[in-house]
Amino acid sequence: MIEIRKESREDYEEVYNLVKRAFETVEFSDGNEQDLVEALRSSCNFIPELSLVAIQNNKIVVYILFTKIKIGEYEELALAPLAVLPGYQNKGIGKKLIEKGHQIAKQLGYHFVIVLGSKNYYSKSGYVPAIKYGIRAPFEVHNENFMAVKLNDFDKEITGVVEYAKEFGI
Ligand SMILES: CC(C)(COP(=O)(O)OP(=O)(O)OC[C@H]1O[C@@H](n2cnc3c(N)ncnc32)[C@H](O)[C@@H]1OP(=O)(O)O)[C@@H](O)C(=O)NCCC(=O)NCCS
């Protein structure tokens, strides 16, 4: 049984350790993802409803965070980070958390989520190269690794260069 819920203050330490452990062996990691989470929580771009944990066996096994970014003049979302505890990976839990996050983000009225990551992984959750929507990264990256998913339709053009929260240090 997996319970997915909003992160609470009491979870912070466990989440910190989970994120650290999940990224320890990741090739394209700077090892600071757990600190990025702490910084984003204190920023105005934090949305408590989109900071989610999954609980299994009384343990937090996944953490996912969506924070505000800007695409042109519009406020949209970035997914970062997604961290599954080693030992619980490749069991479909990461995908479940992405789905839950998308559902909440959709209800909150956001149109796009962008993510920087593996095409093979995020395409399973509906992400396509962001350039297909005219959304561009503020740094050099392969088009296939800078992705976006559309959640809600809109009658205006949401295109342009993404402006990340300053906590990302971009
Ligand atoms: C990457 C990660 C979030 C995936 O979550 P997960 O719950 O383990 O993955 P899921 O069970 O939802 O999906 C499994 C599928 O994704 C693939 N996959 C898993 N990790 C992947 C990765 N890093 N790159 C590409 N594909 C990956 C698996 O091969 C599997 O494919 P299949 O469905 O064709 O068999 C998780 O393994 C993790 O936290 N890794 C360490 C931190 C990290 O890399 N975070 C993502 C940063 S962008």
Side-chain angles (χ1 to χ4, degrees):
M1 247 295 274
I2 300 166
E3 180 203 351
I4 301 175
R5 62 161 173 77
K6 197 170 109 175
E7 180 197 35
S8 72
R9 202 165 276 276
E10 291 70 40
D11 300 326
Y12 288 1
E13 192 181 342
E14 200 176 342
V15 166
Y16 185 91
N17 292 325
L18 182 161
V19 175
K20 191 164 188 283
R21 279 197 57 202
F23 279 93
E24 235 155 32
T25 54
V26 174
E27 192 186 350
F28 298 109
S29 158
D30 57 10
N32 291 329
E33 285 78 5
Q34 64 282 0
D35 299 316
L36 173 64
V37 170
E38 303 246 296
L40 285 169
R41 271 200 210 102
S42 319
S43 107
C44 57
N45 298 300
F46 184 66
I47 306 163
E49 292 80 5
L50 286 172
S51 180
L52 302 172
V53 292
I55 319 283
Q56 205 172 12
N57 307 326
N58 285 322
K59 199 159 58 177
I60 298 175
V61 295
V62 192
Y63 177 69
I64 192 167
L65 179 61
F66 299 82
T67 49
K68 295 177 203 168
I69 51 147
K70 288 193 99 179
I71 304 173
E73 62 190 280
Y74 296 98
E75 186 182 287
E76 299 295 342
L77 297 171
L79 190 182
L82 167 61
V84 180
L85 196 64
Y88 291 82
Q89 295 177 356
N90 294 312
K91 298 179 196 294
I93 324 185
K95 189 161 188 258
K96 276 208 177 79
L97 272 272
I98 297 175
E99 273 165 19
K100 184 68 184 176
H102 285 177
Q103 200 186 323
I104 297 168
K106 204 170 165 168
Q107 284 163 2
L108 292 174
Y110 288 99
H111 308 98
F112 281 110
V113 181
I114 58 124
V115 73
L116 177 65
S118 154
K119 167 184 166 262
N120 291 340
Y121 184 66
Y122 288 103
S123 61
K124 295 179 206 286
S125 296
Y127 287 81
V128 298
I131 197 71
K132 289 198 174 160
Y133 293 116
I135 299 170
R136 297 190 306 280
F139 42 74
E140 284 218 6
V141 60
H142 287 297
N143 282 342
E144 64 172 31
N145 296 122
F146 190 73
M147 292 164 279
V149 64
K150 188 162 129 185
L151 303 176
N152 280 308
D153 281 327
F154 45 92
D155 52 16
K156 302 214 169 53
E157 284 232 326
I158 302 178
T159 58
V161 178
V162 168
E163 192 184 317
Y164 279 88
K166 71 171 180 352
E167 286 73 17
F168 281 92
I170 290 165

